[in-house]
Amino acid sequence: MNVDLTGGAAPPLRDLRHSVRRALSHLHADCVGDAELLVTELISNAYDHGRPPISFRMCELPGSALRIDVEDGDRANLPRLGVSRLGGGRGRGLVLVKELSRRWGCVVTATSKIVWAEMNCRVLSPVRPA
């Protein structure tokens, strides 16, 4: 899944969560719910702390893992765990990302930054006929 989010003043989080649910319907419900939370948090952070262009990618990795990438055009404001530029009542989002993912991080490119998270998932067991 690859989605260009440039052009909207607010992230289309409801639509994105629905797309994530549909794309991951073959995975365990707990994994799908955690993936929805990770996508929501990483995209919200890009809108709050980054700048356009913003894009979102999600792909399955070998070994029942999932990777979520959110890229934005702000190379200067890198994510910091537990710290928000927007006030004291914020800053817990990346703590949530850290807890839900097996690994997360940030990569700075020549023109952007990519904040990513990887999580372990369980594929639903196939239903066996009785």
Side-chain angles (χ1 to χ4, degrees):
M1 173 184 293
N2 194 350
V3 180
D4 180 3
L5 298 170
T6 304
L13 295 175
R14 181 177 173 212
D15 293 340
L16 287 168
R17 284 190 295 267
H18 180 71
S19 295
V20 167
R21 241 178 279 130
R22 192 172 49 244
L24 302 179
S25 63
H26 61 287
L27 298 176
H28 191 276
D30 289 343
C31 175
V32 176
D34 289 351
E36 287 179 276
L37 285 172
L38 286 172
V39 166
T40 298
E41 186 55 42
L42 293 176
I43 290 173
S44 295
N45 279 354
Y47 273 78
D48 288 347
H49 303 288
R51 68 171 185 243
I54 299 171
S55 64
F56 155 65
R57 288 179 295 279
M58 183 177 70
C59 65
E60 292 185 58
L61 303 171
S64 299
L66 183 68
R67 180 172 172 116
I68 298 163
D69 292 344
V70 176
E71 184 171 7
D72 76 77
D74 186 349
R75 299 174 65 229
N77 290 308
L78 303 181
R80 293 188 320 182
L81 194 62
V83 177
S84 175
R85 296 184 291 122
L86 301 177
R90 308 272 313 256
R92 295 179 301 275
L94 285 177
V95 173
L96 178 67
V97 169
K98 179 181 178 273
E99 291 302 315
L100 291 176
S101 62
R102 68 180 186 180
R103 303 181 321 146
W104 75 277
C106 180
V107 175
V108 177
T109 72
T111 59
S112 66
K113 74 172 173 282
I114 301 166
V115 182
W116 57 270
E118 291 179 1
M119 58 184 290
N120 294 322
C121 293
R122 290 185 306 168
V123 177
L124 291 174
S125 299
V127 176
R128 296 180 187 215

